[in-house]
Coordinates of all heavy atoms in Angstrom, one line a residue:
M1 N -14.0 24.6 7.4 CA -13.5 23.6 8.3 C -13.3 24.3 9.6 O -12.7 25.4 9.7 CB -12.2 22.9 7.8 CG -11.7 21.9 8.7 SD -10.1 21.2 8.2 CE -10.2 21.3 6.4
T2 N -13.7 23.7 10.7 CA -13.5 24.3 12.0 C -12.3 23.6 12.7 O -12.5 22.5 13.4 CB -14.8 24.2 12.9 OG1 -15.1 22.8 13.0 CG2 -15.9 24.9 12.3
G3 N -11.1 24.2 12.6 CA -10.0 23.6 13.3 C -9.3 22.6 12.5 O -9.7 22.2 11.3
I4 N -8.2 22.1 13.0 CA -7.3 21.1 12.4 C -7.7 19.7 12.9 O -7.9 19.5 14.1 CB -5.9 21.4 12.7 CG1 -5.5 22.9 12.3 CG2 -4.9 20.4 12.2 CD1 -5.6 23.2 10.9
R5 N -7.7 18.8 12.0 CA -8.0 17.4 12.3 C -6.8 16.7 12.9 O -5.7 16.9 12.4 CB -8.5 16.6 11.1 CG -9.8 17.0 10.6 CD -10.2 16.1 9.4 NE -11.5 16.5 8.9 CZ -11.7 16.9 7.7 NH1 -10.7 17.0 6.8 NH2 -12.9 17.3 7.3
T6 N -7.1 15.8 13.9 CA -6.0 14.9 14.3 C -6.0 13.7 13.3 O -6.9 13.6 12.4 CB -6.4 14.3 15.7 OG1 -7.6 13.5 15.6 CG2 -6.5 15.4 16.7
A7 N -5.0 12.9 13.4 CA -4.9 11.7 12.5 C -6.2 10.9 12.7 O -6.7 10.4 11.7 CB -3.6 10.9 12.8
A8 N -6.6 10.7 13.9 CA -7.8 9.8 14.2 C -9.0 10.5 13.5 O -9.9 9.7 12.9 CB -8.0 9.6 15.7
Q9 N -9.1 11.8 13.6 CA -10.2 12.5 13.0 C -10.2 12.4 11.5 O -11.3 12.2 10.8 CB -10.3 13.9 13.4 CG -10.7 14.1 14.9 CD -10.5 15.5 15.4 OE1 -9.6 16.2 14.9 NE2 -11.3 15.9 16.4
A10 N -9.0 12.5 10.9 CA -8.9 12.4 9.5 C -9.2 11.0 9.0 O -9.9 10.8 8.0 CB -7.4 12.7 9.0
K11 N -8.8 10.0 9.7 CA -9.2 8.6 9.4 C -10.7 8.4 9.5 O -11.4 7.8 8.6 CB -8.5 7.6 10.3 CG -7.0 7.5 10.1 CD -6.4 6.5 11.1 CE -4.9 6.6 11.1 NZ -4.3 5.8 12.2
A12 N -11.3 9.0 10.5 CA -12.8 8.9 10.7 C -13.5 9.6 9.6 O -14.5 9.2 9.1 CB -13.2 9.4 12.1
W13 N -12.9 10.8 9.2 CA -13.5 11.5 8.0 C -13.5 10.7 6.8 O -14.5 10.7 6.0 CB -12.7 12.8 7.9 CG -13.1 13.7 6.8 CD1 -14.3 14.4 6.7 CD2 -12.3 14.0 5.6 NE1 -14.3 15.1 5.5 CE2 -13.1 14.9 4.8 CE3 -11.1 13.6 5.2 CZ2 -12.6 15.4 3.6 CZ3 -10.6 14.1 4.0 CH2 -11.4 15.0 3.2
L14 N -12.4 10.0 6.5 CA -12.4 9.2 5.3 C -13.4 8.0 5.4 O -14.1 7.8 4.4 CB -10.9 8.6 5.1 CG -9.8 9.5 4.7 CD1 -8.5 8.9 4.7 CD2 -10.1 10.1 3.3
E15 N -13.5 7.5 6.6 CA -14.4 6.4 6.8 C -15.9 6.9 6.6 O -16.7 6.2 6.0 CB -14.2 5.8 8.2 CG -15.1 4.5 8.4 CD -14.8 3.9 9.7 OE1 -13.7 3.9 10.2 OE2 -15.8 3.4 10.4
Y16 N -16.1 8.1 7.1 CA -17.5 8.7 7.0 C -17.9 8.8 5.6 O -19.0 8.7 5.2 CB -17.4 10.0 7.7 CG -18.7 10.8 7.6 CD1 -19.8 10.4 8.4 CD2 -18.8 11.9 6.8 CE1 -21.0 11.2 8.3 CE2 -20.0 12.7 6.8 CZ -21.1 12.3 7.5 OH -22.3 13.0 7.5
Q17 N -16.9 9.1 4.7 CA -17.1 9.3 3.3 C -17.1 8.0 2.5 O -17.4 7.9 1.3 CB -16.0 10.2 2.6 CG -16.0 11.6 3.2 CD -14.9 12.4 2.5 OE1 -15.1 12.8 1.4 NE2 -13.8 12.6 3.3
G18 N -16.8 6.9 3.2 CA -16.7 5.6 2.6 C -15.5 5.5 1.6 O -15.6 4.8 0.7
K19 N -14.4 6.2 1.9 CA -13.2 6.2 1.1 C -12.1 5.5 1.8 O -11.8 5.7 3.0 CB -12.8 7.6 0.8 CG -13.7 8.4 -0.2 CD -13.2 9.7 -0.5 CE -14.2 10.5 -1.4 NZ -13.7 11.8 -1.6
S20 N -11.4 4.7 1.0 CA -10.1 4.1 1.5 C -9.0 5.2 1.3 O -9.1 6.2 0.5 CB -9.8 2.9 0.7 OG -9.4 3.2 -0.7
V21 N -7.9 4.9 2.0 CA -6.7 5.8 1.8 C -6.3 5.8 0.4 O -5.9 6.8 -0.3 CB -5.6 5.4 2.8 CG1 -4.3 6.1 2.5 CG2 -6.0 5.6 4.2
Q22 N -6.3 4.6 -0.3 CA -5.9 4.4 -1.6 C -6.8 5.3 -2.6 O -6.3 5.9 -3.5 CB -6.0 2.9 -2.1 CG -5.0 2.0 -1.4 CD -3.7 2.1 -2.0 OE1 -3.5 2.4 -3.2 NE2 -2.7 1.7 -1.2
E23 N -8.1 5.2 -2.3 CA -9.0 6.0 -3.2 C -8.8 7.5 -3.0 O -8.8 8.3 -4.0 CB -10.4 5.6 -2.8 CG -11.5 6.3 -3.7 CD -12.9 5.8 -3.4 OE1 -13.1 5.0 -2.4 OE2 -13.8 6.3 -4.0
F24 N -8.6 7.9 -1.8 CA -8.3 9.3 -1.5 C -7.1 9.8 -2.2 O -7.0 10.8 -2.9 CB -8.2 9.6 0.0 CG -7.7 10.9 0.4 CD1 -8.6 12.0 0.5 CD2 -6.3 11.2 0.6 CE1 -8.1 13.3 0.9 CE2 -5.9 12.5 0.9 CZ -6.8 13.5 1.0
A25 N -6.0 9.0 -2.1 CA -4.8 9.3 -2.8 C -4.9 9.4 -4.3 O -4.4 10.3 -4.9 CB -3.7 8.3 -2.4
R26 N -5.6 8.4 -4.9 CA -5.9 8.5 -6.4 C -6.6 9.8 -6.7 O -6.3 10.4 -7.7 CB -6.7 7.3 -6.8 CG -5.8 6.1 -7.2 CD -6.6 5.0 -7.9 NE -7.8 4.6 -7.2 CZ -7.9 3.7 -6.2 NH1 -6.8 3.0 -5.9 NH2 -9.0 3.3 -5.7
E27 N -7.7 10.1 -6.0 CA -8.5 11.2 -6.3 C -7.7 12.6 -6.3 O -8.0 13.5 -7.0 CB -9.7 11.4 -5.3 CG -10.8 10.4 -5.5 CD -11.9 10.5 -4.5 OE1 -11.8 11.4 -3.7 OE2 -12.8 9.7 -4.6
H28 N -6.7 12.6 -5.4 CA -6.0 13.9 -5.2 C -4.6 13.8 -5.9 O -3.8 14.8 -5.8 CB -5.8 14.2 -3.7 CG -7.2 14.5 -3.1 ND1 -7.8 15.7 -3.3 CD2 -8.0 13.7 -2.4 CE1 -9.0 15.7 -2.7 NE2 -9.1 14.5 -2.1
G29 N -4.3 12.7 -6.6 CA -3.0 12.6 -7.2 C -1.8 12.6 -6.3 O -0.7 13.2 -6.6
V30 N -1.9 12.0 -5.2 CA -0.8 11.9 -4.2 C -0.4 10.4 -4.0 O -1.2 9.6 -4.3 CB -1.2 12.6 -2.8 CG1 -1.4 14.1 -3.0 CG2 -2.4 12.0 -2.2
D31 N 0.7 10.2 -3.5 CA 1.3 8.9 -3.2 C 0.6 8.3 -2.0 O 0.5 8.8 -1.0 CB 2.8 9.0 -2.9 CG 3.4 7.7 -2.7 OD1 3.1 6.7 -3.4 OD2 4.2 7.6 -1.7
P32 N 0.0 7.1 -2.2 CA -0.7 6.4 -1.1 C 0.2 6.1 0.1 O -0.3 6.3 1.2 CB -1.2 5.1 -1.8 CG -1.2 5.3 -3.2 CD -0.2 6.3 -3.5
A33 N 1.4 5.7 -0.2 CA 2.4 5.5 0.9 C 2.6 6.7 1.7 O 2.6 6.7 3.0 CB 3.7 4.9 0.4
T34 N 2.7 7.9 1.1 CA 2.9 9.1 1.8 C 1.6 9.4 2.7 O 1.7 9.9 3.8 CB 3.2 10.3 0.9 OG1 4.4 10.0 0.2 CG2 3.4 11.6 1.6
T35 N 0.5 9.1 2.1 CA -0.8 9.4 2.8 C -0.8 8.5 4.1 O -1.2 9.0 5.1 CB -2.0 9.1 1.9 OG1 -1.8 9.9 0.7 CG2 -3.3 9.5 2.5
Y36 N -0.5 7.2 3.9 CA -0.5 6.4 5.1 C 0.5 6.8 6.2 O 0.2 6.8 7.3 CB -0.1 4.9 4.7 CG -1.2 4.1 4.1 CD1 -1.2 3.7 2.8 CD2 -2.3 3.7 4.9 CE1 -2.2 3.0 2.2 CE2 -3.3 2.9 4.3 CZ -3.3 2.6 3.0 OH -4.3 1.8 2.5
Q37 N 1.7 7.3 5.7 CA 2.7 7.8 6.6 C 2.3 9.1 7.4 O 2.5 9.2 8.5 CB 4.0 8.1 5.9 CG 4.7 6.8 5.4 CD 5.8 7.0 4.4 OE1 5.9 8.1 3.9 NE2 6.6 5.9 4.2
V38 N 1.6 10.0 6.7 CA 1.1 11.2 7.4 C 0.0 10.7 8.4 O 0.0 11.2 9.5 CB 0.5 12.2 6.3 CG1 -0.3 13.3 7.0 CG2 1.6 12.7 5.5
L39 N -0.9 9.9 8.0 CA -1.9 9.4 8.9 C -1.3 8.7 10.2 O -1.9 8.7 11.3 CB -2.9 8.5 8.2 CG -3.9 9.3 7.3 CD1 -4.6 8.3 6.4 CD2 -4.9 10.1 8.1
A40 N -0.2 8.0 10.0 CA 0.4 7.3 11.0 C 1.4 8.1 11.9 O 1.9 7.7 12.9 CB 1.2 6.1 10.5
G41 N 1.6 9.4 11.4 CA 2.5 10.3 12.1 C 4.0 10.1 11.9 O 4.8 10.7 12.5
R42 N 4.3 9.2 10.9 CA 5.7 9.1 10.6 C 6.2 10.2 9.7 O 7.4 10.5 9.7 CB 5.9 7.7 9.8 CG 5.8 6.5 10.8 CD 6.1 5.2 10.1 NE 5.3 4.9 9.0 CZ 4.2 4.2 9.1 NH1 3.7 3.9 10.2 NH2 3.5 3.9 8.0
K43 N 5.4 10.9 9.0 CA 5.7 12.1 8.3 C 4.8 13.2 8.9 O 3.7 13.1 9.1 CB 5.4 12.0 6.8 CG 6.5 11.0 6.1 CD 6.5 11.2 4.6 CE 7.6 10.3 4.1 NZ 7.9 10.7 2.7
K44 N 5.4 14.4 9.1 CA 4.7 15.4 9.8 C 4.0 16.4 8.8 O 3.3 17.2 9.2 CB 5.7 16.2 10.7 CG 6.5 15.4 11.6 CD 5.5 14.7 12.6 CE 6.3 13.9 13.6 NZ 5.5 12.9 14.3
G45 N 4.3 16.3 7.5 CA 3.7 17.2 6.6 C 4.3 18.6 6.5 O 3.7 19.5 6.2
K46 N 5.6 18.6 6.7 CA 6.3 19.9 6.7 C 6.6 20.4 5.3 O 6.6 21.6 5.0 CB 7.6 19.9 7.5 CG 7.3 19.7 9.0 CD 8.6 19.9 9.8 CE 8.3 19.8 11.2 NZ 9.5 20.0 12.1
R47 N 6.9 19.5 4.4 CA 7.3 19.9 3.0 C 6.8 18.9 2.0 O 6.5 17.8 2.3 CB 8.8 19.9 2.9 CG 9.5 21.0 3.7 CD 11.0 20.9 3.6 NE 11.6 19.8 4.4 CZ 11.7 19.8 5.7 NH1 11.3 20.8 6.4 NH2 12.2 18.7 6.3
G48 N 6.8 19.4 0.8 CA 6.6 18.5 -0.4 C 5.2 17.8 -0.3 O 4.2 18.3 0.0
E49 N 5.3 16.5 -0.8 CA 4.1 15.7 -0.9 C 3.4 15.5 0.4 O 2.2 15.5 0.5 CB 4.5 14.3 -1.5 CG 3.3 13.4 -1.7 CD 2.9 13.3 -3.1 OE1 3.3 14.1 -4.0 OE2 2.1 12.4 -3.4
A50 N 4.2 15.3 1.5 CA 3.6 15.1 2.9 C 2.8 16.4 3.3 O 1.7 16.3 3.9 CB 4.6 14.8 3.9
H51 N 3.3 17.6 2.9 CA 2.6 18.8 3.2 C 1.2 18.8 2.5 O 0.2 19.1 3.1 CB 3.5 20.0 2.8 CG 2.7 21.3 2.7 ND1 2.4 22.1 3.8 CD2 2.1 22.0 1.7 CE1 1.7 23.1 3.5 NE2 1.5 23.1 2.2
K52 N 1.3 18.5 1.2 CA 0.1 18.5 0.4 C -1.0 17.5 1.0 O -2.1 17.8 1.1 CB 0.4 18.1 -1.0 CG -0.7 18.1 -2.0 CD -0.3 17.7 -3.4 CE -1.5 17.7 -4.4 NZ -1.0 17.4 -5.7
V53 N -0.5 16.3 1.4 CA -1.4 15.3 2.0 C -2.0 15.9 3.3 O -3.2 15.8 3.5 CB -0.7 14.0 2.2 CG1 -1.5 13.1 3.0 CG2 -0.3 13.3 0.8
A54 N -1.2 16.4 4.1 CA -1.7 16.9 5.4 C -2.7 18.0 5.2 O -3.7 18.0 5.9 CB -0.5 17.4 6.3
V55 N -2.5 18.9 4.3 CA -3.4 20.0 4.0 C -4.7 19.4 3.4 O -5.8 19.8 3.9 CB -2.9 21.0 3.0 CG1 -3.9 22.0 2.6 CG2 -1.7 21.7 3.7
L56 N -4.6 18.5 2.5 CA -5.8 17.8 1.9 C -6.7 17.1 2.9 O -7.9 17.1 2.8 CB -5.4 16.9 0.7 CG -4.9 17.6 -0.5 CD1 -4.3 16.6 -1.5 CD2 -6.0 18.4 -1.2
L57 N -6.0 16.5 3.9 CA -6.7 15.7 4.9 C -7.3 16.6 6.0 O -8.0 16.2 6.9 CB -5.8 14.7 5.5 CG -5.5 13.5 4.7 CD1 -4.4 12.7 5.3 CD2 -6.7 12.6 4.5
G58 N -6.9 17.9 6.0 CA -7.3 18.8 7.0 C -6.5 18.7 8.3 O -6.9 19.2 9.3
M59 N -5.4 18.1 8.2 CA -4.5 17.9 9.4 C -3.5 19.1 9.6 O -2.8 19.2 10.6 CB -3.7 16.6 9.3 CG -4.6 15.4 9.3 SD -3.7 13.9 9.0 CE -2.6 13.8 10.4
K60 N -3.5 20.0 8.6 CA -2.6 21.1 8.7 C -3.2 22.3 7.9 O -3.9 22.1 6.9 CB -1.3 20.7 8.0 CG -0.3 21.8 7.9 CD 1.0 21.3 7.2 CE 2.0 22.4 7.2 NZ 3.2 22.1 6.4
D61 N -3.0 23.4 8.5 CA -3.5 24.6 7.8 C -2.3 25.0 6.8 O -1.2 25.1 7.2 CB -3.7 25.8 8.8 CG -4.5 26.9 8.2 OD1 -5.2 26.7 7.2 OD2 -4.5 28.0 8.8
G62 N -2.7 25.3 5.6 CA -1.6 25.7 4.6 C -2.2 25.8 3.2 O -3.4 25.6 3.0
I63 N -1.3 26.0 2.3 CA -1.7 26.2 0.9 C -1.0 25.1 0.1 O 0.1 24.6 0.5 CB -1.5 27.6 0.3 CG1 0.0 27.9 0.3 CG2 -2.3 28.6 1.0 CD1 0.4 29.2 -0.4
I64 N -1.5 24.8 -1.0 CA -0.9 23.9 -2.0 C -0.5 24.7 -3.2 O -1.4 25.1 -3.9 CB -1.8 22.7 -2.3 CG1 -2.1 21.9 -1.0 CG2 -1.1 21.8 -3.4 CD1 -3.2 20.9 -1.2
V65 N 0.8 24.8 -3.4 CA 1.2 25.6 -4.6 C 1.3 24.7 -5.8 O 2.0 23.6 -5.7 CB 2.6 26.3 -4.3 CG1 3.0 27.1 -5.5 CG2 2.5 27.2 -3.1
P66 N 0.7 25.0 -6.9 CA 0.8 24.1 -8.1 C 2.2 24.1 -8.6 O 2.9 25.1 -8.6 CB -0.1 24.8 -9.1 CG -0.7 26.0 -8.5 CD -0.2 26.2 -7.1
Q67 N 2.6 22.9 -9.0 CA 4.0 22.8 -9.5 C 4.1 23.3 -10.9 O 3.2 23.2 -11.7 CB 4.5 21.3 -9.5 CG 4.6 20.8 -8.1 CD 5.4 19.5 -8.0 OE1 5.7 18.9 -9.0 NE2 5.7 19.1 -6.8
A68 N 5.2 23.8 -11.3 CA 5.5 24.3 -12.7 C 5.4 23.1 -13.6 O 5.9 22.0 -13.4 CB 6.8 25.0 -12.8
T69 N 4.7 23.4 -14.8 CA 4.6 22.3 -15.7 C 5.6 22.3 -16.8 O 5.6 21.5 -17.7 CB 3.2 22.4 -16.4 OG1 3.0 23.6 -16.9 CG2 2.1 22.1 -15.3
H70 N 6.4 23.4 -16.8 CA 7.5 23.5 -17.9 C 8.7 24.1 -17.2 O 8.7 24.8 -16.2 CB 7.0 24.3 -19.1 CG 6.6 25.7 -18.7 ND1 5.4 26.0 -18.1 CD2 7.2 26.9 -18.9 CE1 5.3 27.3 -17.9 NE2 6.4 27.8 -18.4
S71 N 9.8 23.9 -17.9 CA 11.1 24.3 -17.4 C 11.4 25.7 -17.8 O 10.7 26.3 -18.7 CB 12.3 23.4 -17.9 OG 12.4 23.6 -19.3
L72 N 12.4 26.3 -17.2 CA 12.8 27.7 -17.5 C 13.3 27.7 -19.0 O 13.2 28.8 -19.6 CB 13.9 28.2 -16.6 CG 13.4 28.4 -15.1 CD1 14.6 28.8 -14.2 CD2 12.4 29.5 -15.1
E73 N 14.0 26.7 -19.4 CA 14.5 26.7 -20.8 C 13.3 26.8 -21.8 O 13.4 27.5 -22.8 CB 15.2 25.4 -21.1 CG 16.6 25.3 -20.4 CD 17.3 24.0 -20.7 OE1 16.9 23.3 -21.6 OE2 18.3 23.7 -19.9
A74 N 12.2 26.1 -21.5 CA 11.0 26.2 -22.3 C 10.5 27.6 -22.4 O 10.0 28.2 -23.4 CB 10.0 25.2 -21.9
E75 N 10.5 28.3 -21.2 CA 10.1 29.7 -21.2 C 10.9 30.6 -22.1 O 10.4 31.4 -22.8 CB 10.1 30.2 -19.7 CG 8.9 29.9 -18.9 CD 9.0 30.6 -17.5 OE1 9.6 31.7 -17.4 OE2 8.6 30.0 -16.6
G76 N 12.2 30.4 -22.0 CA 13.1 31.2 -22.8 C 12.8 30.9 -24.4 O 12.9 31.9 -25.1
D77 N 12.5 29.7 -24.7 CA 12.2 29.4 -26.1 C 10.9 30.1 -26.5 O 10.8 30.6 -27.7 CB 12.1 27.9 -26.3 CG 13.3 27.2 -26.1 OD1 14.4 27.8 -26.2 OD2 13.4 25.9 -25.9
E78 N 9.9 30.2 -25.6 CA 8.7 30.9 -26.0 C 8.9 32.3 -26.2 O 8.2 32.9 -27.0 CB 7.6 30.6 -24.8 CG 7.2 29.2 -24.7 CD 6.3 29.0 -23.5 OE1 6.0 29.9 -22.8 OE2 6.0 27.8 -23.3
L79 N 9.8 33.0 -25.5 CA 10.0 34.4 -25.6 C 10.9 34.7 -26.8 O 10.8 35.9 -27.3 CB 10.7 34.9 -24.3 CG 10.0 34.8 -23.0 CD1 10.8 35.2 -21.9 CD2 8.7 35.6 -23.1
A80 N 11.6 33.8 -27.4 CA 12.5 34.1 -28.5 C 11.7 34.3 -29.8 O 10.6 33.9 -30.0 CB 13.5 33.0 -28.6

C-alpha cells in the first residue's frame, strides 16, 4: 500500500471492491458500528477495535495483535 488512506479513499476502496461496510466488517470479524464510526471520523482508531478497523481499512499504519484465546488460569492448569 502506498500511504495512508483518508476516510473518503477507504470508502471508495470498499466501493471499488463492491463491498458494503457490513460485508467488510463480517469478513474481518469486526463490529459494523465501529467500522462506520471510524469511516465517519467519530472514532480515531487509537485503541482496541477501532484501531483494528483503521488498520484493516488502510487508514492507519499499525499492527493487529491477536487476542489471547485462553486465560492465565488455564495456562497454569496446563503446566501442572
Side-chain angles (χ1 to χ4, degrees):
M1 180 183 329
T2 58
I4 303 298
R5 292 186 181 115
T6 64
Q9 290 170 329
K11 290 176 192 176
W13 177 69
L14 288 173
E15 186 176 321
Y16 179 75
Q17 296 179 76
K19 289 184 185 176
S20 68
V21 173
Q22 294 278 337
E23 186 177 0
F24 172 85
R26 272 193 307 274
E27 285 178 3
H28 294 284
V30 294
D31 180 43
T34 301
T35 306
Y36 280 113
Q37 290 168 344
V38 169
L39 286 168
R42 287 189 297 275
K43 289 197 175 197
K44 305 300 180 200
K46 292 186 177 187
R47 292 176 286 285
E49 181 104 349
H51 166 82
K52 182 177 180 180
V53 169
V55 172
L56 289 170
L57 287 170
M59 295 175 63
K60 177 182 180 182
D61 196 20
I63 61 170
I64 299 169
V65 180
Q67 293 195 352
T69 56
H70 58 284
S71 70
L72 292 176
E73 288 179 13
E75 273 185 36
D77 291 344
E78 292 172 4
L79 298 173

